[in-house]
Amino acid sequence: MVSLQETNAYLRYEKHLLKKYPQAKRDIKRAKKKILKRPTRGVVYRGSGKIALRKIRVSIRILRISPRKGLRLFYFYSEKKNKAVPIFIFKKGRPQTEGQVMKLFNRAVNEVVAELKDVH
């Protein structure tokens, strides 16, 4: 059975997102359950360096926001440890550049990796 390990670093990003889109809470939970059922479902995100990060699209059903225009949830899945670790979540389509997203994404990866190293 796959386990989901949520770090404090990831939970900060999720909490920040839920302040603006509280209606997304149920959809995020649903997405996490899907990851647990089939952790290899997400597309491998290119350019993520040495670790294979995956990305899934998440709709916000109550607001009728499709997965294409909705949220992006990045996570790491380790087959060896049978564990999925959410890394970063954000709403697509805000006025933001690819560079801004990559900067936040890289910071999130570093925060989560640092936190996981401290735990082990």
Side-chain angles (χ1 to χ4, degrees), residues 11-113:
L11 290 172
R12 280 193 303 272
Y13 289 104
E14 185 178 296
K15 183 179 177 181
H16 180 73
L17 178 86
L18 289 172
K19 281 183 182 178
K20 187 165 185 175
Y21 299 99
Q23 306 89 337
K25 191 171 189 168
R26 183 178 291 159
D27 298 300
I28 293 170
K29 277 186 179 180
R30 190 176 298 119
K32 290 176 188 176
K33 285 181 184 178
K34 286 181 180 180
I35 290 171
L36 289 174
K37 286 182 183 175
R38 200 173 95 213
T40 57
R41 83 181 300 118
V43 219
V44 175
Y45 190 68
R46 297 191 187 280
S48 56
K50 296 178 182 178
I51 58 175
L53 293 175
R54 295 180 175 274
K55 171 183 79 173
I56 60 170
R57 295 173 174 170
V58 182
S59 65
I60 305 175
R61 291 180 179 185
I62 292 175
L63 298 178
R64 294 186 177 171
I65 298 175
S66 70
R68 176 172 259 164
K69 294 181 180 179
L71 308 176
R72 299 294 181 266
L73 173 59
F74 290 89
Y75 67 97
F76 168 72
Y77 171 61
S78 169
E79 283 187 56
K80 187 177 178 181
K81 295 185 179 182
N82 211 20
K83 185 183 295 186
V85 181
I87 303 289
F88 182 56
I89 188 167
F90 74 99
K91 166 74 172 74
K92 184 178 186 241
R94 289 188 350 221
Q96 58 197 357
T97 65
E98 183 70 20
Q100 290 170 322
V101 171
M102 287 307 297
K103 188 176 179 180
L104 283 171
F105 174 76
N106 289 328
R107 187 174 78 194
V109 169
N110 292 332
E111 289 172 352
V112 170
V113 168

